[in-house]
Amino acid sequence: PLELIDDFPDHPFKVRDDEDMMQLVESVKERGVITPATVRQKEDGRYELVSGHRRKRACELAGFETLRSEIVDLNRDEATILMVESNFQRSEILPSEKAFAYKMRLEAMKRQAGRPRKNNSPVGNNLEFAKSSDELADKTGESKNQIYRYVRLTNLVPELLEFVDEGRIKMRPAVELSYLDEDCQRDVVDEIDLNDATPSHDQTIRMRKLF
């Protein structure tokens, strides 16, 4: 039953009621859910959605009361890794979605390997991050440096991260801005709104050195 299925906590991938969703709704109405969603049972007896958030939303919009699902026995870290892997099959993924997905997966991989967590962030030049990012680079085909850049984006305030998703700010300047504290980042947002222009990579490097 849909009423017993909870979304994955801090799910980094957006579910949009766009044209693609409307097409999925029509498909679900005609043929049902062909590929079952993946859920795991929680201690309270409810279910947690691991993969299939778009299918769940389509069923809701189609007026269905149930979602065809496969129940799997996974712990939180295993579920996190599967959630990220399944969503990376999407044709379009926003930078912000990749950023938080990589961060969640790196943290899960480190815990799975039994490595002690030195801090709450997977970002940093330490042995934990290096080993986990090497493994993730092998699995995704993304370079370790690019993974590092994506994870840095999780330190941006929401307004700047939205600019990255919109393509108004490129990756390199966004990474430099991620090192500024929240107040400085919000000052940058105000300047962007005031001047209707975003800083260049060189400008963001100078900002980082100043602040």
Side-chain angles (χ1 to χ4, degrees):
L2 287 171
E3 63 181 17
L4 293 181
I5 302 175
D6 299 322
D7 289 343
F8 198 91
D10 299 319
H11 189 252
F13 298 95
K14 297 178 176 65
V15 177
R16 305 172 186 83
D17 290 347
D18 53 15
E19 184 177 347
D20 286 343
M21 175 60 72
M22 295 306 106
Q23 291 177 357
L24 181 57
V25 170
E26 291 305 313
S27 173
V28 166
K29 286 180 178 178
E30 291 177 11
R31 297 186 290 274
V33 174
I34 299 172
T35 303
T38 303
V39 301
R40 71 183 193 115
Q41 191 161 23
K42 303 195 298 182
E43 292 181 359
D44 61 3
R46 295 179 61 81
Y47 297 90
E48 184 176 273
L49 191 59
V50 178
S51 70
H53 286 75
R54 292 184 74 251
R55 279 162 280 171
K56 176 175 178 282
R57 178 59 178 159
C59 285
E60 291 171 345
L61 293 174
F64 290 6
E65 295 183 355
T66 60
L67 171 64
R68 183 185 177 199
S69 305
E70 176 187 10
I71 303 171
V72 293
D73 183 16
L74 298 174
N75 61 34
R76 170 48 52 81
D77 291 333
E78 291 168 340
T80 297
I81 291 171
L82 178 57
M83 179 273 294
V84 172
E85 286 180 348
S86 61
N87 280 280
F88 263 61
Q89 297 171 10
R90 294 185 180 190
S91 58
E92 294 184 12
I93 302 175
L94 294 174
S96 62
E97 295 173 330
K98 265 195 175 185
F100 285 100
Y102 278 148
K103 180 179 180 179
M104 291 176 70
R105 183 165 172 177
L106 279 170
E107 291 179 338
M109 288 171 68
K110 287 189 296 184
R111 286 193 298 267
Q112 269 201 326
R115 303 184 185 116
R117 298 182 70 195
K118 296 179 182 178
N119 49 54
N120 290 328
S121 170
V123 179
N125 295 320
N126 56 51
L127 188 59
E128 284 185 59
F129 177 73
K131 288 183 177 179
S132 295
S133 58
D134 280 338
E135 294 172 21
L136 186 54
D138 288 340
K139 290 178 181 294
T140 63
E142 199 102 64
S143 75
K144 186 170 70 173
N145 286 339
Q146 189 70 350
I147 290 172
Y148 176 84
R149 294 186 190 106
Y150 273 115
V151 177
R152 278 300 322 172
L153 298 184
T154 64
N155 294 283
L156 291 173
V157 296
E159 294 89 343
L160 288 178
L161 193 54
E162 186 173 345
F163 287 152
V164 178
D165 282 343
E166 294 171 350
R168 292 182 64 186
I169 299 180
K170 301 301 181 185
M171 175 70 79
R172 293 297 181 87
V175 169
E176 296 297 329
L177 292 173
S178 74
Y179 288 96
L180 303 180
D181 64 31
E182 183 175 340
D183 289 339
C184 289
Q185 289 189 37
R186 295 203 179 280
D187 287 341
V188 173
V189 173
D190 291 340
E191 288 297 319
I192 290 173
D193 289 340
L194 182 65
N195 298 295
D196 193 25
T198 55
S200 67
H201 188 208
D202 287 342
Q203 288 173 324
T204 56
I205 290 174
R206 290 198 292 271
M207 288 181 200
R208 181 181 172 186
K209 289 178 178 178
L210 284 173
F211 299 104

